[in-house]
Amino acid sequence: MDFNTLVPAKTGLAGIDADALLVVVVGSKMPAALEGPLGMALSEAVSAGDFALKAGQLLYAHRVAGVKARRVAFVWAADAGAKALRRAVAAGVALVKSGGAGHMAVAVAGADAALADAAAEALVLAVHEATYVYRATKPSAQQPARLERVSLVCSVPEAATLGAGLARGEAVAAGVALARECANRPANHCTPSYLAEQAEKLGKSHGLKVEVLDRKDCERLGMGSFLAVAQGSEQPPKFIVMRWMGAGKDVAPLVLVGKGITFDTGGISIKPAAEMDEMKFDMGGAASVLGTMRAVAGAKAQVNLVGIIPACENMPSGRAIKPGDVVKSLSGQTIEILNTDAEGRLILCDALTYAERFKPAAVVDIATLTGACVIALGHHRSGLFSMDEELAGELLAAGDAALDPAWRMPLDDEYDEALKSNFADMANVGPRAGGAITAAMFLKRFTAKLRWAHLDVAGTAWRSGPHKGATGRPVALLSRWVLSKAAGPARAVKSGMSGKSGGARRAKKA
Ligand code: BES
Ligand code: MN
Ligand code: ZN
């Protein structure tokens, strides 16, 4: 899909040559700027009671007299901000996509100020969200008639900013899509080796350095905690390290660490059968690291970014870890594994220690870590834990701006009591109460040398029920944060190998 800005000629919106024209009507007053046949069609619809300037309003019209676009859809939005626009565009795309429109123009009517680049970015993500279909293991799934081009109608002075927003949106959308594709894949396809292959593929297509450590390498390093989780499985573990060096060699990198449990049975502390299939999504953190690497590399951002993914399965078997087993982590600290289902923290702690070698500016780990976080925050906001005020503030702001919000959770020393063990430096679980926090407290014990934040995405990385599937979160949050750290303007280039020039992105006259 291609996105561009479009400055209408003298004939205005009515003269735009597209298969479909989506008019986002903003606010509670009839937009004064909407003149001619479109303005007439809208006021007629309003007087007839077919459209109102309020939430949830949609109107589809075919072949409006005097309008060049064959299909016209009106959709209401509260304002021209990213959030309202995303909702409106999602509804509008659902209206026109079944009609087989190949080229859709989107115009925002009634906004007081110029559109922001964040709004353009949100538009791209909304269109991708509304048209995504998982087909990798279900080729029969119906692909909606393909939207090939989306043009955002704007004025000449808006074109440069909005073009940049669209380009950034495309890079992020590609990252979100990659995360969803990986996480949606069933665990018999998406194994640790599969994740390693995806990383290597991404490295080749996007210029990342990729290194994959196998079991032997991890043994030599002393990753006793990671390997303990992996030992119950027939699938060999993979410890994946990806590097995007977009800034100077001596610029300290940002590091992302993603939990890559490709299936979590719980191990010997086995989970109940109901909904256990959803534990294929337990590599959602890893998927978001892959997706963010793709977004950042796709945007050719001038920033150094390292992605680390400890990947393995958590299985019960004759070789599996047992409750009470004590293992030694890469940090040298020993851990009593009281519950083999608290495996995420066991693989993350070694990855966090490994991250020290990059002398990072900051480290963020992303994990579908606890059911308790789902109870605390539901499915709207991810849990954010950090002792670093500045880092926490940046991540919260990035989440809000990218419509991928998080919520700060506490890390008081008092919670650490729960992890005391008589047989090791710490236990891997505390009592049920405050489970998301004790999980974070466990990770905190491995981050003394780091500026660190932890995102618990157990409630946000996938949806259950009839719309079961990966969301691609928090790629948008992470990408926005990383791109905000890039030197110079993030110049997005075409990702993949389409070989097309960026010319289509320049403002075009209709
Ligand atoms: N992957 C799960 C967390 C999870 C559970 C995410 C349900 C989303 C939905 C994690 O490995 C786990 O099993 N955590 C346990 C920890 C407990 C044993 C302390 C949990 O949350 O129940
Ligand atoms: Mn578990
Ligand atoms: Zn898990």
Side-chain angles (χ1 to χ4, degrees), residues 20 46 64 70 88 93 110 115 121 160 175 193 200 274 315 349 395 423 430 440 454 461:
V46 170
V64 175
R70 283 162 291 291
V93 170
L115 278 183
E121 195 176 340
S193 306
E200 267 157 4
M315 296 291 283
C349 67
L395 291 166
F423 305 99
H454 158 60

Side-chain angles (χ1 to χ4, degrees), residues 259 261 264 266 271 278-279 282 314 339 341-345 368-372 374 428-431 435 456 458-459 462:
K259 172 178 173 183
I261 295 290
D264 181 11
K271 288 180 180 295
E278 295 189 6
M279 284 300 119
D282 211 15
N314 185 23
N339 189 322
D341 198 10
E343 85 297 342
R345 60 199 81 179
T368 50
L369 202 63
T370 65
V374 189
N428 77 328
V429 290
D456 192 333
W462 77 89

Side-chain angles (χ1 to χ4, degrees), residues 25 27 51-58 75-78 87:
V25 183
F51 190 80
L53 300 171
K54 60 181 192 202
Q57 289 290 308
L58 284 172
V75 52
W76 183 84
R87 203 171 281 169

